Coordinates of all heavy atoms in Angstrom, one line a residue:
E7 N 20.3 -6.8 -12.1 CA 19.7 -6.3 -13.3 C 18.9 -5.0 -13.0 O 18.5 -4.3 -13.9 CB 18.7 -7.3 -14.0 CG 19.4 -8.5 -14.5 CD 18.5 -9.5 -15.2 OE1 17.5 -9.0 -15.7 OE2 18.8 -10.7 -15.2
R8 N 18.6 -4.7 -11.7 CA 17.8 -3.5 -11.4 C 18.7 -2.6 -10.4 O 18.6 -2.7 -9.2 CB 16.6 -4.0 -10.7 CG 15.5 -4.6 -11.6 CD 14.3 -5.0 -10.8 NE 13.7 -3.9 -10.1 CZ 12.9 -2.9 -10.7 NH1 12.6 -3.0 -12.0 NH2 12.5 -1.9 -10.0
P9 N 19.4 -1.7 -11.0 CA 20.3 -0.8 -10.2 C 19.5 0.1 -9.3 O 20.0 0.6 -8.3 CB 21.0 0.0 -11.3 CG 20.2 -0.1 -12.5 CD 19.6 -1.4 -12.5
E10 N 18.2 0.3 -9.6 CA 17.4 1.1 -8.7 C 17.1 0.4 -7.3 O 16.7 1.1 -6.4 CB 16.0 1.5 -9.3 CG 15.2 0.3 -9.8 CD 15.5 -0.1 -11.3 OE1 16.6 -0.4 -11.6 OE2 14.5 -0.1 -12.0
N11 N 17.3 -0.9 -7.3 CA 17.2 -1.6 -6.0 C 18.6 -1.7 -5.4 O 19.4 -2.4 -6.0 CB 16.6 -3.0 -6.2 CG 15.1 -2.9 -6.6 OD1 14.8 -3.2 -7.7 ND2 14.3 -2.5 -5.7
T12 N 18.9 -1.0 -4.4 CA 20.3 -0.8 -3.9 C 20.8 -1.9 -3.0 O 22.0 -2.0 -2.7 CB 20.5 0.6 -3.3 OG1 19.5 0.7 -2.2 CG2 20.2 1.7 -4.3
S13 N 19.9 -2.7 -2.4 CA 20.3 -3.7 -1.5 C 19.4 -5.0 -1.6 O 18.3 -4.9 -2.0 CB 20.3 -3.2 0.0 OG 18.9 -3.0 0.4
Y14 N 20.0 -6.1 -1.2 CA 19.3 -7.4 -1.2 C 18.1 -7.3 -0.2 O 17.0 -7.7 -0.6 CB 20.2 -8.5 -0.8 CG 19.5 -9.9 -0.7 CD1 19.5 -10.7 -1.9 CD2 18.9 -10.3 0.4 CE1 18.9 -11.9 -1.8 CE2 18.3 -11.6 0.5 CZ 18.3 -12.4 -0.7 OH 17.7 -13.6 -0.6
A15 N 18.3 -6.8 1.0 CA 17.2 -6.7 2.0 C 16.1 -5.8 1.5 O 14.9 -6.1 1.7 CB 17.8 -6.1 3.3
G16 N 16.5 -4.7 0.8 CA 15.5 -3.7 0.3 C 14.6 -4.4 -0.8 O 13.4 -4.2 -0.9
L17 N 15.3 -5.1 -1.7 CA 14.6 -5.8 -2.8 C 13.7 -6.9 -2.2 O 12.5 -7.0 -2.7 CB 15.6 -6.4 -3.7 CG 15.0 -7.3 -4.9 CD1 14.1 -6.4 -5.8 CD2 16.2 -7.9 -5.7
K18 N 14.2 -7.6 -1.2 CA 13.3 -8.7 -0.6 C 12.1 -8.1 0.0 O 11.0 -8.6 -0.1 CB 14.2 -9.4 0.4 CG 13.4 -10.6 1.0 CD 14.3 -11.4 2.0 CE 13.6 -12.6 2.6 NZ 14.5 -13.3 3.6
S19 N 12.3 -7.0 0.7 CA 11.1 -6.3 1.3 C 10.2 -5.8 0.3 O 8.9 -5.9 0.4 CB 11.6 -5.1 2.2 OG 10.5 -4.4 2.7
R20 N 10.7 -5.2 -0.8 CA 9.8 -4.7 -1.9 C 9.0 -5.8 -2.5 O 7.9 -5.7 -2.8 CB 10.7 -4.0 -2.9 CG 10.0 -3.4 -4.1 CD 9.0 -2.4 -3.7 NE 8.4 -1.7 -4.9 CZ 7.3 -1.0 -4.8 NH1 6.7 -0.8 -3.7 NH2 6.8 -0.4 -5.9
K21 N 9.7 -7.0 -2.8 CA 9.0 -8.1 -3.4 C 7.8 -8.6 -2.5 O 6.7 -8.8 -3.0 CB 9.9 -9.3 -3.6 CG 9.3 -10.5 -4.3 CD 10.2 -11.7 -4.4 CE 10.4 -12.3 -3.1 NZ 9.1 -13.1 -2.6
S22 N 8.1 -8.6 -1.2 CA 7.0 -9.1 -0.2 C 5.9 -8.1 -0.2 O 4.7 -8.5 -0.2 CB 7.6 -9.2 1.2 OG 8.6 -10.2 1.2
K23 N 6.2 -6.8 -0.2 CA 5.1 -5.8 -0.3 C 4.3 -5.9 -1.6 O 3.1 -5.7 -1.6 CB 5.7 -4.4 0.0 CG 6.2 -4.2 1.4 CD 6.8 -2.8 1.5 CE 7.3 -2.5 2.9 NZ 7.9 -1.2 3.0
C24 N 5.0 -6.1 -2.7 CA 4.3 -6.2 -4.0 C 3.4 -7.4 -4.0 O 2.3 -7.3 -4.5 CB 5.4 -6.3 -5.1 SG 6.3 -4.8 -5.4
M25 N 3.9 -8.5 -3.5 CA 3.1 -9.7 -3.4 C 1.9 -9.6 -2.5 O 0.7 -10.0 -2.9 CB 3.9 -10.9 -3.0 CG 3.1 -12.2 -2.9 SD 2.3 -12.6 -4.5 CE 3.6 -12.9 -5.6
A26 N 2.0 -8.9 -1.4 CA 0.9 -8.6 -0.5 C -0.1 -7.7 -1.2 O -1.3 -8.0 -1.1 CB 1.4 -8.0 0.8
N27 N 0.4 -6.8 -2.0 CA -0.5 -5.9 -2.7 C -1.3 -6.6 -3.8 O -2.5 -6.5 -4.0 CB 0.3 -4.7 -3.3 CG -0.5 -3.7 -4.0 OD1 -1.8 -3.7 -4.0 ND2 0.1 -2.7 -4.6
L28 N -0.6 -7.5 -4.5 CA -1.2 -8.3 -5.5 C -2.3 -9.2 -4.9 O -3.4 -9.4 -5.5 CB -0.1 -9.2 -6.2 CG -0.6 -10.1 -7.3 CD1 -1.3 -9.3 -8.4 CD2 0.5 -10.9 -7.9
K29 N -1.9 -9.9 -3.8 CA -2.9 -10.8 -3.2 C -4.2 -10.1 -2.8 O -5.3 -10.6 -2.9 CB -2.3 -11.5 -2.0 CG -1.3 -12.6 -2.4 CD -0.7 -13.2 -1.1 CE 0.3 -14.3 -1.5 NZ 0.9 -15.0 -0.3
K30 N -4.0 -8.9 -2.2 CA -5.1 -8.0 -1.8 C -6.0 -7.7 -3.0 O -7.2 -7.8 -2.9 CB -4.6 -6.8 -1.2 CG -5.7 -5.8 -0.7 CD -5.1 -4.6 0.1 CE -6.2 -3.7 0.6 NZ -6.9 -3.0 -0.5

C-alpha cells in the first residue's frame, strides 16, 4: 500500500526507527 517504501527490509528498518523515536 506504500509505494514510497521500496523494500521489505527498508520498511522494517523504518518501522523500528519510528518506534524507537516514539518511545523516546
